[in-house]
Amino acid sequence: MKKKLFILVGALLLTMTANAQFEANKMYVNGSLSGLNVGYNGKDKLHFGVQAQVGHLIVDNLMILGQVGYQHTGGNNDIPDNVMVGAGFRYYIIQNGLYMGASAKLIHANHNYNDLLPELEVGYAFFLSKTVTIEPAVYYDQSFKNHSDYSTIGLKIGVGFYL
């Protein structure tokens, strides 16, 4: 019984801490690793990337985002390492940190490969303090270039700062 009570109190404290972080006019900065050797598509043997995001909560629970990134796609001569820029939004479903996001990314590599990738993601913001989070997420990138070869499902983990 004591263990269940302790877990309940801990969950309530986390919810109360997260509640204040998703208010309008807060800023957000995130650095993340994507792929983590878990990403898969029809062409790549390894998919590993880094991303940086900056966001602004325009209303409670709704954030607009800008992002840049670099991706390494080893084992694939068709798509060399590439850079990415994008924009999107994130909506916090419940006040304890569960979110859904959507974005559009432009990928560019070696002047011979360009692609537009709409992305959907679902993640969770685990608060380590009032402003710092660990954010694991599952994402899906839909390619316009060749749907079966370049569309990707993957996992990313980031560290976020709510200012």
Side-chain angles (χ1 to χ4, degrees):
M1 181 68 179
K2 288 181 183 180
K3 187 175 181 179
K4 288 180 183 179
L5 183 61
F6 179 72
I7 292 171
L8 179 62
V9 169
L12 287 173
L13 287 175
L14 280 175
T15 302
M16 288 170 34
T17 302
N19 187 21
Q21 300 309 318
F22 308 127
E23 296 173 343
N25 296 321
K26 291 228 180 220
M27 295 297 297
Y28 170 78
V29 177
N30 175 298
S32 64
L33 298 175
S34 63
L36 303 176
N37 206 19
V38 179
Y40 176 80
N41 65 38
K43 290 280 190 179
D44 300 338
K45 303 292 186 251
L46 165 71
H47 179 110
F48 182 80
V50 293
Q51 275 186 356
Q53 295 180 323
V54 175
H56 179 74
L57 281 145
I58 52 175
V59 296
D60 288 356
N61 301 325
L62 182 62
M63 179 188 301
I64 57 170
L65 293 166
Q67 56 189 347
V68 296
Y70 170 80
Q71 295 179 6
H72 171 73
T73 52
N76 184 355
N77 294 328
D78 294 338
I79 307 173
D81 295 353
N82 57 69
V83 294
M84 172 273 298
V85 295
F89 70 91
R90 179 186 283 185
Y91 179 73
Y92 292 90
I93 299 169
I94 53 178
Q95 284 294 313
N96 67 356
L98 182 64
Y99 65 85
M100 291 182 58
S103 62
K105 303 185 294 189
L106 179 61
I107 303 292
H108 175 73
N110 280 358
H111 308 294
N112 62 353
Y113 175 75
N114 292 305
D115 200 355
L116 179 65
L117 300 172
E119 178 183 79
L120 296 175
E121 78 175 316
V122 176
Y124 192 85
F126 290 101
F127 279 85
L128 301 177
S129 71
K130 290 184 178 182
T131 58
V132 179
T133 58
I134 299 291
E135 300 180 351
V138 175
Y139 65 91
Y140 176 71
D141 289 336
Q142 175 64 49
S143 172
F144 282 119
K145 192 83 162 176
N146 183 336
H147 301 295
S148 63
D149 288 340
Y150 302 124
S151 296
T152 305
I153 296 172
L155 172 70
K156 63 182 170 183
I157 187 162
V159 177
F161 300 93
Y162 292 81
L163 312 170

